[in-house]
């Protein structure tokens, strides 16, 4: 088994950080240090998702068939 990060682990990390961000919106004041730190952790989701969007675009062979009409 290979060591390191693979797509499944990155997706799990993104899901966990997104859940942490949603918990911070629901249960913590934005201006408290706890809420602020949880939002910082939650903001790690977008770079991971952008990576998957770029990888999916790079690995798409026929772009003409990917758009819905």
């Amino acid at each position: 088994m290979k060591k390191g990060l693979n797509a499944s682990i990155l997706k799990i990390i993104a899901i966990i950080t997104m859940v942490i961000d949603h918990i911070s919106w629901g249960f913590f004041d934005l201006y408290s240090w706890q809420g602020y730190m949880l939002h910082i952790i939650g903001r790690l989701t977008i770079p991971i998702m952008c990576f998957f969007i770029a990888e999916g675009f790079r690995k798409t062979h026929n772009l003409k068939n990917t758009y819905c009409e």
Side-chain angles (χ1 to χ4, degrees), residues 3-58:
K3 292 183 180 180
L5 294 175
N6 59 20
S8 297
I9 294 173
L10 280 175
K11 288 177 187 177
I12 290 171
I13 291 170
I15 290 168
I16 291 170
T17 58
M18 190 181 304
V19 168
I20 289 171
D21 188 48
H22 284 85
I23 288 171
S24 68
W25 278 111
F27 298 108
F28 291 95
D29 183 26
L30 178 62
Y31 299 108
S32 68
W33 68 272
Q34 296 99 340
Y36 186 70
M37 293 307 291
L38 291 175
H39 280 296
I40 290 173
I41 292 170
R43 299 305 178 204
L44 293 173
T45 304
I46 191 66
I48 296 171
M49 291 299 149
C50 288
F51 169 76
F52 282 119
I53 290 170
E55 280 294 302
F57 186 76
R58 185 177 67 93

